[in-house]
Amino acid sequence: MAETKEKQTYQAVIGLEFHVHLATRTKMFCGCRVTYGDPPNTHTCPVCLGHPGALPVLNEKAIELGAMAGIALNCEVADHAVFARKNYFYPDLPKGYQISQFDEPICVGGHIDVPTSDGTVRVGITRLHLEEDAAKNVHVGESGRMHGSTGSLIDFNRGGTPLMEIVTEPDIPTPEAARATANQLKAILQAIGVSEADMEKGQLRCDANVSIRNLDGSFGTKTELKNMNSFRFVEKGIAAELERQREIIEERGRIEQATMHYDPNKDEVYSLRSKEEAHDYRYFPEPDLLPLELSREWIEDKKNRLPELPAEMKKRFVESYGLSDYDAGVLTADRDLAAFYEEVAENADPKQSANWISGDLRALLNEEGIEISDSKVGPKHMIELISLVETDTVSRSAARTVLEHVFESGDAPSSIVERDGLAQTGGDELDGVVEAVIADNPDEAERVRGGDKKVVGFLVGQIMKATRGNADGGQARERLLEKLGS
Ligand code: ADP
Ligand code: ZN
Ligand code: MG
């Protein structure tokens, strides 16, 4: 898709499907705890193990969180929703069916506005429905995958975890926009607290549907891309799949509907099955659960209790801190970074705070591939650092060095300045240096007194040299000209 001359000919069509664990204490239809990393099969009961005769009891908190997510995604929350059995056989599904929602889901018809480098893209939300997660198959052997394993074990701890499926319209035009959509969705879900949405814990999973538009503008055949375990791989996987489809189209071949997998090591997509079997899940209404009846008051109450969403927070950052759209977008895309920023901005110049956090600090985080919550730099460090620059204790470039040391050690900026002799030469000390430089360079000084500005740079250079770069260039120049009366 990269070649510009082909831009008009090859137009990508992308739709995403997300599965998100809801942040409830217990499972969807039983009292078992939702846990991560506990020993296998320690949180099970007859309901989530699918024993005959065991009856599901709906988790009210899950309904509340699902509705709140729908409201935040600008969906309509239905006043009547129905749980349905989705029937299929797999070892991780002991009942032989998953309780899900089918033709009457809890939420439909929303949208999110996604910031991309080409401007804002509005991505439609087709539906949001509630279901239960399956258990987890653990494949024994080196690969950790079914293919090539020597056996499979099942951990039922995950079975029955409250799950929300969110399906977007095929509105996403580029792999980059797909990644941004996933990021935006995650930020929204985290902001309202309906999910931790930690991909590493499997709390957020994303599949992509990918096709290339036909010449007449109609949709082409789509493939489904599964198992991408980071948003970076979502972007790269879609790009690789579009590339594969483009090559087939250029050779006048036909795209086969298929399920594809992305291999990040090879940066390639591959297909496990050549022909897609048509599923027939034989959905029917779950007879053991009553339909959900949600009153307008109940829905209104959830709406009122919704906290500030990333888009609203961004607007507030622009208005109350005077930030650029870009800085506000970067800071509010990450809930923890936004909270970090606010703490700093309450105690330091808001624009300087944004520059340091969205620029220097974020670059260090990206380099190390860590989150702000795992960093040794706290708001206190940042506030102190900004004040050291503001009071001319350190130059801006020395402050960058100080930040790097804080990032590594978590030490206080002032103690690093002292330890490494990074303090800026100012005040009387700078005056002394300026006078010494004038005395050592009488000819140049005389020329400046006579109005010749060409040698000012040379003299400032001498001052910088004498202070080993620890003076502020602008300040040095100012003092010099003052003393030379020009
Ligand atoms: P299916 O019947 O295969 O489940 P759906 O119409 O339910 O397909 O759509 C599933 C997902 O695929 C949605 O995210 C939707 O936006 C996306 N999608 C639908 N058609 C296309 C297409 N031609 N190209 C890419 N994505 C598509
Ligand atoms: Zn249980
Ligand atoms: Mg579908």
Side-chain angles (χ1 to χ4, degrees):
M1 294 297 103
E3 297 89 329
T4 43
K5 76 176 205 297
E6 280 151 357
K7 220 171 186 165
Q8 268 108 7
T9 325
Y10 297 102
Q11 206 180 9
V13 175
I14 303 161
L16 297 174
E17 290 174 83
F18 296 92
H19 284 92
V20 187
H21 279 183
L22 293 169
T24 56
R25 213 174 57 81
T26 56
K27 293 187 182 181
M28 191 70 177
F29 301 113
C30 63
C32 292
R33 289 284 304 276
V34 173
T35 56
Y36 298 89
D38 274 13
N41 299 310
T42 50
H43 301 282
T44 62
C45 74
V47 173
C48 57
L49 289 175
H51 289 186
L55 290 173
V57 177
L58 191 55
N59 184 334
E60 194 182 332
K61 185 76 184 170
I63 306 303
E64 185 182 324
L65 297 179
M68 284 173 70
I71 294 165
L73 301 175
N74 303 296
C75 291
E76 189 188 319
V77 181
D79 49 18
H80 176 89
V82 176
F83 284 97
R85 289 190 183 179
K86 179 179 180 177
N87 300 280
Y88 65 95
F89 172 78
Y90 208 66
D92 62 13
L93 193 72
K95 294 195 297 291
Y97 59 85
Q98 175 193 34
I99 302 180
S100 180
Q101 295 181 324
F102 181 51
D103 47 5
E104 295 184 86
I106 182 167
C107 301
V108 293
H111 66 261
I112 50 174
D113 289 324
V114 179
T116 75
S117 58
D118 298 329
T120 301
V121 176
R122 177 161 287 193
V123 178
I125 304 293
T126 314
R127 59 185 273 142
L128 178 159
H129 73 245
L130 298 173
E131 55 191 28
E132 55 178 336
D133 205 353
K136 195 172 175 173
N137 289 324
V138 182
H139 303 296
V140 184
E142 264 170 51
S143 69
R145 305 251 285 270
M146 185 154 64
H147 185 75
S149 71
T150 54
S152 295
L153 304 167
I154 307 174
D155 176 6
F156 285 95
N157 284 352
R158 195 179 73 179
T161 299
L163 195 64
M164 156 171 84
E165 180 174 324
I166 299 170
V167 182
T168 80
E169 291 287 303
D171 289 343
I172 304 165
T174 62
E176 183 224 328
R179 179 183 184 167
T181 302
N183 267 325
Q184 183 72 9
L185 181 83
K186 180 176 164 180
I188 292 170
L189 298 178
Q190 288 183 333
I192 56 177
V194 299
S195 178
E196 274 182 60
D198 183 342
M199 279 188 115
E200 272 171 33
K201 288 188 188 159
Q203 292 169 329
L204 174 64
R205 311 196 283 268
C206 176
D207 300 331
N209 296 272
V210 181
S211 69
I212 289 175
R213 209 179 277 276
N214 296 322
L215 285 174
D216 63 8
S218 62
F219 280 170
T221 305
K222 72 174 156 70
T223 59
E224 193 173 358
L225 197 52
K226 286 200 177 266
N227 282 356
M228 293 167 293
N229 50 24
S230 78
F231 291 163
R232 197 162 66 89
F233 293 159
V234 168
E235 179 175 1
K236 296 187 77 170
I238 293 171
E241 172 58 12
L242 283 168
E243 191 59 26
R244 186 189 71 87
Q245 291 188 12
R246 187 175 67 93
E247 277 167 21
I248 293 172
I249 291 169
E250 282 185 344
E251 286 159 18
R252 300 189 187 281
R254 262 189 48 208
I255 309 289
E256 300 271 349
Q257 190 180 324
T259 301
M260 309 296 297
H261 293 258
Y262 176 62
D263 180 345
N265 295 319
K266 294 190 187 147
D267 192 25
E268 273 173 14
V269 286
Y270 61 96
S271 144
L272 288 179
R273 286 161 295 185
S274 58
K275 277 270 182 286
E276 195 69 355
E277 68 265 39
H279 290 295
D280 182 358
Y281 293 120
R282 295 173 187 274
Y283 281 99
F284 63 84
E286 167 60 60
D288 292 336
L289 289 168
L290 288 168
L292 267 182
E293 304 292 347
L294 304 175
S295 72
R296 280 296 120 193
E297 296 79 63
W298 186 88
I299 296 168
E300 210 48 45
D301 174 58
K302 302 297 162 275
K303 206 173 271 180
N304 293 335
R305 285 202 281 129
L306 218 56
E308 185 178 43
L309 297 173
E312 293 163 356
M313 188 187 266
K314 180 179 164 187
K315 206 165 146 233
R316 179 167 63 80
F317 277 24
V318 169
E319 282 164 8
S320 58
Y321 296 121
L323 302 189
S324 68
D325 239 35
Y326 176 81
D327 276 350
V330 165
L331 292 170
T332 54
D334 178 330
R335 189 184 45 151
D336 293 336
L337 201 65
F340 184 100
Y341 169 75
E342 289 220 80
E343 211 173 321
V344 176
E346 296 300 325
N347 298 285
D349 177 68
K351 275 198 177 155
Q352 286 301 324
S353 306
N355 288 345
W356 279 104
I357 295 167
S358 74
D360 302 86
L361 179 59
R362 214 166 53 92
L364 290 169
L365 293 170
N366 286 344
E367 236 168 70
E368 287 297 310
I370 62 168
E371 304 290 326
I372 185 71
S373 50
D374 301 320
S375 150
K376 290 184 179 143
V377 183
K380 282 207 184 70
H381 293 120
M382 213 64 237
I383 293 163
E384 193 191 342
L385 188 72
I386 293 169
S387 114
L388 289 175
V389 176
E390 225 148 58
T391 55
D392 290 329
T393 312
V394 292
S395 66
R396 169 104 207 173
S397 72
R400 281 206 190 92
T401 312
V402 174
L403 181 61
E404 279 166 28
H405 290 306
V406 177
F407 191 80
E408 282 159 21
S409 66
D411 292 343
S414 55
S415 69
I416 292 168
V417 169
E418 198 164 312
R419 189 192 71 199
D420 295 350
L422 290 168
Q424 175 162 281
T425 311
D428 292 346
E429 200 185 345
L430 181 59
D431 279 339
V433 174
V434 173
E435 275 159 23
V437 167
I438 291 173
D440 289 346
N441 302 279
D443 296 346
E444 284 81 2
E446 203 42 50
R447 279 167 65 186
V448 175
R449 278 200 193 91
D452 180 0
K453 292 275 162 74
K454 270 179 265 164
V455 287
V456 171
F458 167 78
L459 290 173
V460 171
Q462 295 304 303
I463 298 167
M464 297 307 282
K465 208 162 140 190
T467 59
R468 292 184 315 281
N470 284 338
D472 176 75
Q475 221 180 73
R477 186 186 163 92
E478 213 170 274
R479 300 281 176 91
L480 178 77
L481 294 178
E482 228 174 73
K483 287 194 191 299
L484 294 176
S486 68

